[in-house]
Amino acid sequence: MAQVLLFPSVLGVRQGITDLAEALTAAGHSVTTVDHLEGVTFDDYPTAAARSQEIGFPAQMAYAREATEGVAPFVAVGFSNGAAMAQWVAAQRPADARGVVMVGGGMAMRHLEATWPTGVPGQVHVTAGDPFHEEDRQVDPMVDEQLQDDVEQAGGAYSYVEYQGEGHLFNDPTLTSEYQPEEARILTRRIIEFVDEVG
């Protein structure tokens, strides 16, 4: 059994998060969902992003650090901006981190003012047409390569999994414009396999 830290996107703990938590639990793992929004969810990204900016990343990091204390060792799984939080928590607790999954893309560790934990594997899942990931690449065309370098230079194994389609949170059935059921099924299976292997 592994202990999994699950970090949602700015939209909060929606069905895509709870479905994955249930699947991981059914596979025999213990899941802690880190919800700095404390039950509040959003239906659109602009409103959610405004609320996230209002809270501020430092406050979110402090919440994540406090909420995850005592959970060790762990595999961190994050969605969208939650992926960055998963990266950050793993970097703060390198002795406890066993793996990091980033759904919707990750970011170069220099943006987090941190270093990737030594020997810890990282796995990225994105769709080919994800508009948020495309936006990240327009700002920084080498974002994926930089993250890969961060992981591999720290001695970790890096994998990048691309799916067809353009959903960002493509595993959430309640986001009808993004949901991709077949890719969601594959994503869940691959995350469980990753947690089984590294946890």
Side-chain angles (χ1 to χ4, degrees):
M1 180 192 80
Q3 299 190 83
V4 180
L5 301 178
L6 192 52
F7 298 87
S9 75
V10 292
L11 299 185
V13 181
R14 297 173 60 99
Q15 187 177 339
I17 297 297
T18 57
D19 284 352
L20 178 59
E22 290 173 2
L24 285 162
T25 301
H29 303 297
S30 175
V31 180
T32 299
T33 300
V34 184
D35 180 17
H36 72 276
L37 295 174
E38 298 181 333
V40 177
T41 60
F42 296 91
D43 294 321
D44 67 277
Y45 291 105
T47 304
R51 176 57 179 154
S52 180
Q53 291 175 0
E54 181 182 331
I55 296 171
F57 202 60
Q60 294 177 47
M61 290 189 292
Y63 182 96
R65 185 66 183 265
E66 182 177 350
T68 59
E69 283 186 4
V71 180
F74 63 82
V75 180
V77 180
F79 287 75
S80 191
N81 71 314
M85 195 63 68
Q87 293 176 243
W88 184 82
V89 168
Q92 300 308 302
R93 298 175 55 192
D96 296 327
R98 296 295 180 268
V100 181
V101 177
M102 296 151 280
V103 182
M107 64 169 54
M109 295 302 290
R110 61 185 172 83
H111 296 304
L112 298 171
E113 298 182 350
T115 56
W116 191 269
T118 302
V120 172
Q123 189 175 85
V124 174
H125 299 265
V126 296
T127 59
D130 181 340
F132 290 97
H133 189 240
E134 287 301 310
E135 185 177 304
D136 288 343
R137 288 190 66 85
Q138 288 176 10
V139 173
D140 184 354
M142 299 297 290
V143 59
D144 296 317
E145 292 79 4
Q146 289 172 5
L147 176 57
Q148 180 176 358
D149 286 346
D150 288 337
V151 177
E152 293 182 344
Q153 288 176 10
Y158 175 84
S159 56
Y160 181 92
V161 185
E162 187 175 85
Y163 303 80
Q164 65 178 2
E166 54 188 29
H168 183 54
L169 301 176
F170 60 92
N171 73 318
D172 190 336
T174 66
L175 295 172
T176 55
S177 64
E178 299 188 43
Y179 182 50
Q180 301 176 202
E182 179 60 20
E183 286 74 22
R185 184 188 65 78
I186 296 170
L187 171 69
T188 299
R189 174 176 57 79
R190 285 174 169 160
I191 291 176
I192 291 173
E193 289 174 350
F194 180 83
V195 173
D196 286 344
E197 179 181 353
V198 307

